[in-house]
Amino acid sequence: MEGRETLPWKLLAGFEIGGRPVPLVGLTGIWKPAVCELPISITTSAKGVYPDRFDFESGRLEYRYRGEDPDHRDNRGLRRAREERVPLVYFHAVAKGAYVASWPAFVVDDSRETLTFTIQIDDPAYAFRQPAGDHVLAEDRDEARRAYVTRTVRQRVHQVAFRERVIRAYQERCALCALRHRELLDAAHIVPDRDPEGEPVVTNGIALCKLHHAAFDGFFFTIRPDYVIEVRRSILEEHDGPMLVVGLQQIHTKRILLPRRPADRPDPARLERRYLEFLQAS
Ligand SMILES: [Zn+2]
């Protein structure tokens, strides 16, 4: 799993205990395999942009009850997980069949009025330490730490979702050179997305290979709002080896490969904004 950001469904579909298959995630959000007494995971689906709610300020995750009945057995299971402080795995689906896994996740609150549990994710290095000294102070520290970790997870989910959606929209190839190796592909931002609250919008992204991503960020070339590539004059006039010729000079005036879905195509207004920056930089 080293270096992987998302876990594919087939990996999560399970392992075996006593000859019986035990999937790590269920089709329902709260997952309690038959052989376990308590739920082991909660999953947020990829439907909608963010069906669950991360409260950025408090670093909490609002997780909807299963159905409308607070006493549904899945909801009772999560309530018990809270009472017994049992750690869960939290799976966030960022695209169809791709999950970001976080552990340990704890149920820290439960509201029958709003039919939601509040979840916080913790750092495994600290979550299971015995509190030393003043218990109340230790709980405050736990709360602050978990809030921070939960916010970090939210940002990671955003980044991974952006990457996953952009690369899929471009059918897993570089929009410039059509390179297909996923490990060499990035989701480049057209307008830098520094706002941690910002949603991962596919129209602010382009799938580019590592070389073209770095060259795009460095204004070696730009993509105009009509999707035509414009290479900086100084690069066009340079003399060097074949990488420069094929990788940068020959893409000049070519049109990029676009996503199949028109709704996924780069936003011309953002490309325009970038084009003006390119003119200033070159
Ligand atoms: Zn490329």
Side-chain angles (χ1 to χ4, degrees), residues 174 176-179 208-209 212:
C174 173
L176 269 63
C177 65
L179 188 75
L208 294 176
C209 68
H212 286 134

PDB file of all heavy atoms in Angstrom, residues 174 176-179 208-209 212, ligand 1:
ATOM      1  N   CYS A 174      -2.127  12.189 -19.811  1.00  0.00           N
ATOM      2  CA  CYS A 174      -1.725  13.599 -19.816  1.00  0.00           C
ATOM      3  C   CYS A 174      -2.467  14.314 -20.947  1.00  0.00           C
ATOM      4  O   CYS A 174      -2.521  13.814 -22.067  1.00  0.00           O
ATOM      5  CB  CYS A 174      -0.209  13.700 -20.017  1.00  0.00           C
ATOM      6  SG  CYS A 174       0.380  15.402 -20.251  1.00  0.00           S
ATOM      7  N   LEU A 176      -1.599  16.729 -22.558  1.00  0.00           N
ATOM      8  CA  LEU A 176      -0.702  17.271 -23.576  1.00  0.00           C
ATOM      9  C   LEU A 176      -0.028  16.175 -24.403  1.00  0.00           C
ATOM     10  O   LEU A 176      -0.022  16.220 -25.625  1.00  0.00           O
ATOM     11  CB  LEU A 176       0.373  18.143 -22.922  1.00  0.00           C
ATOM     12  CG  LEU A 176       0.004  19.626 -22.813  1.00  0.00           C
ATOM     13  CD1 LEU A 176      -1.205  19.816 -21.920  1.00  0.00           C
ATOM     14  CD2 LEU A 176       1.178  20.404 -22.260  1.00  0.00           C
ATOM     15  N   CYS A 177       0.567  15.192 -23.707  1.00  0.00           N
ATOM     16  CA  CYS A 177       1.349  14.189 -24.433  1.00  0.00           C
ATOM     17  C   CYS A 177       0.696  12.809 -24.423  1.00  0.00           C
ATOM     18  O   CYS A 177       1.235  11.862 -24.992  1.00  0.00           O
ATOM     19  CB  CYS A 177       2.763  14.115 -23.862  1.00  0.00           C
ATOM     20  SG  CYS A 177       2.804  13.520 -22.163  1.00  0.00           S
ATOM     21  N   ALA A 178      -0.458  12.700 -23.762  1.00  0.00           N
ATOM     22  CA  ALA A 178      -1.234  11.448 -23.722  1.00  0.00           C
ATOM     23  C   ALA A 178      -0.547  10.314 -22.962  1.00  0.00           C
ATOM     24  O   ALA A 178      -0.988   9.165 -23.031  1.00  0.00           O
ATOM     25  CB  ALA A 178      -1.616  10.988 -25.129  1.00  0.00           C
ATOM     26  N   LEU A 179       0.500  10.634 -22.185  1.00  0.00           N
ATOM     27  CA  LEU A 179       1.159   9.604 -21.372  1.00  0.00           C
ATOM     28  C   LEU A 179       0.136   8.967 -20.425  1.00  0.00           C
ATOM     29  O   LEU A 179      -0.650   9.659 -19.799  1.00  0.00           O
ATOM     30  CB  LEU A 179       2.284  10.243 -20.547  1.00  0.00           C
ATOM     31  CG  LEU A 179       3.196   9.273 -19.792  1.00  0.00           C
ATOM     32  CD1 LEU A 179       4.165   8.596 -20.762  1.00  0.00           C
ATOM     33  CD2 LEU A 179       3.979  10.008 -18.709  1.00  0.00           C
ATOM     34  N   LEU A 208      -2.005  16.263 -16.035  1.00  0.00           N
ATOM     35  CA  LEU A 208      -0.726  16.463 -16.729  1.00  0.00           C
ATOM     36  C   LEU A 208       0.311  15.490 -16.181  1.00  0.00           C
ATOM     37  O   LEU A 208       0.274  15.149 -14.997  1.00  0.00           O
ATOM     38  CB  LEU A 208      -0.218  17.898 -16.516  1.00  0.00           C
ATOM     39  CG  LEU A 208      -1.027  19.049 -17.120  1.00  0.00           C
ATOM     40  CD1 LEU A 208      -0.407  20.385 -16.711  1.00  0.00           C
ATOM     41  CD2 LEU A 208      -1.104  18.957 -18.638  1.00  0.00           C
ATOM     42  N   CYS A 209       1.247  15.072 -17.039  1.00  0.00           N
ATOM     43  CA  CYS A 209       2.354  14.252 -16.552  1.00  0.00           C
ATOM     44  C   CYS A 209       3.267  15.159 -15.719  1.00  0.00           C
ATOM     45  O   CYS A 209       3.131  16.379 -15.744  1.00  0.00           O
ATOM     46  CB  CYS A 209       3.109  13.620 -17.720  1.00  0.00           C
ATOM     47  SG  CYS A 209       4.007  14.814 -18.714  1.00  0.00           S
ATOM     48  N   HIS A 212       5.066  17.964 -17.680  1.00  0.00           N
ATOM     49  CA  HIS A 212       4.186  19.041 -18.140  1.00  0.00           C
ATOM     50  C   HIS A 212       3.559  19.807 -16.973  1.00  0.00           C
ATOM     51  O   HIS A 212       3.268  20.995 -17.099  1.00  0.00           O
ATOM     52  CB  HIS A 212       3.150  18.492 -19.110  1.00  0.00           C
ATOM     53  CG  HIS A 212       3.761  18.190 -20.456  1.00  0.00           C
ATOM     54  ND1 HIS A 212       3.528  17.026 -21.147  1.00  0.00           N
ATOM     55  CD2 HIS A 212       4.648  18.910 -21.197  1.00  0.00           C
ATOM     56  CE1 HIS A 212       4.240  17.051 -22.279  1.00  0.00           C
ATOM     57  NE2 HIS A 212       4.923  18.186 -22.328  1.00  0.00           N
TER      58      HIS A 212
HETATM   59 ZN    ZN B   1       2.733  15.119 -20.625  1.00  0.00          ZN
END
